[in-house]
Every structure is written in C-alpha cells, then in structure tokens.
Amino acid sequence: MKATGRAHPIQGLVKYHGLRDPARNVPYHDSISVCTAPSETRTTVAFGHDADTCLVDGDPVDDEGFDRVTTVLDAVRDRAGLTSGARVESVNTFASNVGLGASASAYAALAVAATAAAGLSLSRRELSALARQGATSAARSVPGGYAQLRARLPAHECVGERLDAPFTEEVRMVVGMVPAYKRTSRAHAETPASPFFDARLAAVHETLAEARDAIRGGDFARTFALAERDSLSLLATTMTGPDGWLYWRPETVRLYDLARRLRDEGLPVYFSSDTGATAYLNTTAPHAERVAEAVEALGLDSHVWRVGGPAERVDDHLF
C-alpha cells in the first residue's frame, strides 16, 4: 500500500484570491495557470501506520500544512474504507513559499500518490477535485499544461480543465528568484476586504475569456501581456486589504522594470508574479538565455523553465 506521485508547480496567468467557500477551497471566480517544468514535487504515501506523519524536504510539515495533508488523506480513507494512518514524505526540486506555486504541485502529487496507495482508480477530474481540498491551485496542477479552474458549486464540479495551446513548445519562463517567505492563505483572507476587490471581480471574467482565447489561438504576446496586467491587478487588491500586505520587494520592481526595458528593445518578454516576491519573465526559447543573463545581472539567481505536463504516478519511491 505504497505509491509515489509527481506534479509540477504552476504560474498563475489569471489569478484568484479569496474563497467564497473556504471549507471546500472554492474561489470567487475561475483562474488560469500554466505548469512549470522541470520543477516538480515528488511525494510517497504509505498507509498501514498508527498515525499520520508528513515530512517535506526532510522536515516535519507545519501545522497548517499538516491539517491540509490530513484533509486529503481523510477524503481518500473515506472513499477507500481505510482507517490506518499514513506516512507521507515529499521533496521539491525548487524553493517553496516564495511565490512559485509549490502548494499546487504538493497537493496534486499527494492526491496521485494517496489514491494509488489506497488502491483507488480515479478519473483526472476526480483527482483534480481531491487535490483542490489541499490547495485550490492544485486542481490546475493535476491536468498540467495550461489549465482553467472552474469555480463551480457543488464543490466536486470545481476542477481544473486542460486548455489546448499550440505554442507550448516555444514558451520559456525565466524565474527571477527573490527568496522572501510568504503565506498565501493570508492573501486569501485579506483580499476580499480590499476596496478594489469588487472591481477586480467585475473585470476578471472578461480577462479570463481573453486569456482563454489567446492560449487556444497560440498568441504568446497576448497571453502573457494579460498575465502581466493581471499581476498588477492582483497586487493592487492584496496590498489594499486591512493589513496593507505588500509582498513585492525592491528586487521584484527591478524585474518588472527589466521586462519593460527588454520589451522596448524588441524582445518578447512579459512580467508575471503570483503571491510572493519572486517573479517570472515569460519569453520564447530563442531569447531565454539573454533574459536569464539580464536577470542575473541584477544580482538574482535565475532558472529557465518550460511548460510542464500533468500529475502522474512514478515508480521511484522516497522510502
């Protein structure tokens, strides 16, 4: 009763903050993201233990994370008729809690591993709904590639759906690392109280439709220009919540300025950030090396990533 799952984190393109059903992780509106590779989370689960335990990169997960892990495990146990505890171990090939979508890959990999370890065979939609119980964004990591989360009720209909994208192979995402710790759950609680939240909510459906059409049409510039604009919209609502939480750092602003400067020079480069100070400079394969060099000239570490595939079961266990 042991299995291992692997999933890629996500870059939000049209993002969400705020949950209209916090107990079930259902947001106020749809969202669109793209999985990033070769960054990945790998998770092994084994049932048959006295109690649940969870290690992430060799350390015990914090209390909030443990509660989210056991929520997923309990859903699997209920479905499989199991009563035993589970041993869970997970490793990331990238930094977590800095704005790189680690929660998405964490709970997508957990959903794949836990269901396989319990002897369950779930559809991709069912896996997406299960992963969402750990983190809303994990519902989009399950199908991989470009995916849209449908913020539907009842909750089992709130799942990630793959979007066809004819430009997948040419896209590169240059990560500018700004290692400032953050916790996304804080933003979900803060953002709906912003005076700009209702305005964002009113506009986001048109943005979603534009982004979906751009992705399906293979329009790189339009897709990632929308992601850049949406990053600024998200920042405006987050930093105007009750606590005035500004998660960008001076380095983040420099990355934003760099994207605009390179674009003025004729390069296809667009800034994007999720909840955190780390940012992506989205570009195409022929220009990725030059963009990465420009990021490192700012004194920041960089990674060049491509579009990642769906969450899947793998054979190399962690224990």
Side-chain angles (χ1 to χ4, degrees):
M1 298 179 72
K2 177 166 69 175
T4 299
R6 176 178 65 192
H8 298 292
I10 57 94
Q11 175 195 167
L13 301 178
V14 182
K15 309 151 202 0
Y16 78 96
H17 270 335
L19 300 170
R20 61 171 163 157
D21 187 344
R24 294 174 177 83
N25 281 344
V26 178
Y28 284 94
H29 59 78
D30 288 11
S31 53
I32 295 175
S33 63
V34 58
C35 279
T36 60
S39 54
E40 68 175 37
T41 299
R42 190 176 299 254
T43 301
T44 298
V45 176
F47 289 100
H49 293 266
D50 293 336
D52 291 334
T53 59
C54 181
L55 298 179
V56 176
D57 294 328
D59 296 319
V61 69
D62 63 21
D63 290 344
E64 179 182 326
F66 186 77
D67 287 344
R68 293 161 74 182
V69 167
T70 56
T71 295
V72 174
L73 293 175
D74 286 345
V76 171
R77 279 188 283 251
D78 287 346
R79 189 158 185 162
L82 298 176
T83 58
S84 65
R87 177 182 175 184
V88 179
E89 293 193 15
S90 184
V91 295
N92 297 304
T93 64
F94 62 101
S96 59
N97 293 307
V98 297
L100 292 175
S103 292
S105 54
Y107 293 99
L110 175 63
V112 169
T115 52
L120 297 174
S121 179
L122 270 60
S123 69
R124 186 68 64 181
R125 287 177 62 85
E126 290 173 317
L127 278 173
S128 180
L130 173 64
R132 192 204 68 248
Q133 295 184 50
T136 305
S137 57
R140 288 181 267 115
S141 183
V142 169
Y146 296 84
Q148 179 166 351
L149 176 68
R150 301 292 186 176
R152 298 172 177 144
L153 288 172
H156 69 269
E157 292 293 327
C158 183
V159 298
E161 299 174 352
R162 185 82 172 251
L163 299 175
D164 292 333
F167 62 161
T168 293
E169 294 302 320
E170 71 183 79
V171 172
R172 294 294 183 271
M173 294 159 272
V174 180
V175 178
M177 293 295 299
V178 185
Y181 182 86
K182 58 84 193 176
R183 190 179 287 278
T184 305
S185 56
R186 178 178 173 185
H188 292 319
E190 281 274 295
T191 302
S194 164
F196 300 126
F197 181 73
D198 287 344
R200 176 173 168 79
L201 195 60
V204 74
H205 301 289
E206 181 177 350
T207 303
L208 286 160
E210 288 184 49
R212 187 170 56 246
D213 289 347
I215 290 167
R216 288 174 171 165
D219 191 333
F220 169 86
R222 188 175 167 213
T223 297
F224 290 100
L226 285 166
E228 181 173 293
R229 188 182 73 187
D230 190 70
S231 298
L232 300 176
S233 170
L234 187 76
L235 177 69
T237 54
T238 302
M239 72 181 187
T240 53
D243 289 340
W245 184 33
L246 177 60
Y247 51 82
W248 281 20
R249 296 293 181 268
E251 296 90 342
T252 318
V253 177
R254 287 198 284 273
L255 288 166
Y256 175 64
D257 288 342
L258 175 61
R260 293 173 65 93
R261 176 168 60 81
L262 292 175
R263 201 157 64 237
D264 287 343
E265 294 174 7
L267 271 67
V269 184
Y270 296 89
F271 173 94
S272 180
S273 70
D274 290 326
T275 309
T278 292
Y280 306 87
L281 297 192
N282 296 296
T283 188
T284 55
H287 305 287
E289 184 176 348
R290 181 178 171 187
V291 175
E293 289 173 351
V295 169
E296 295 192 2
L298 298 177
L300 303 176
D301 291 335
S302 71
H303 304 286
V304 179
W305 289 348
R306 52 180 170 75
V307 177
E312 60 184 354
R313 185 176 177 181
V314 294
D315 293 329
D316 46 336
H317 305 312
L318 298 177
F319 59 84

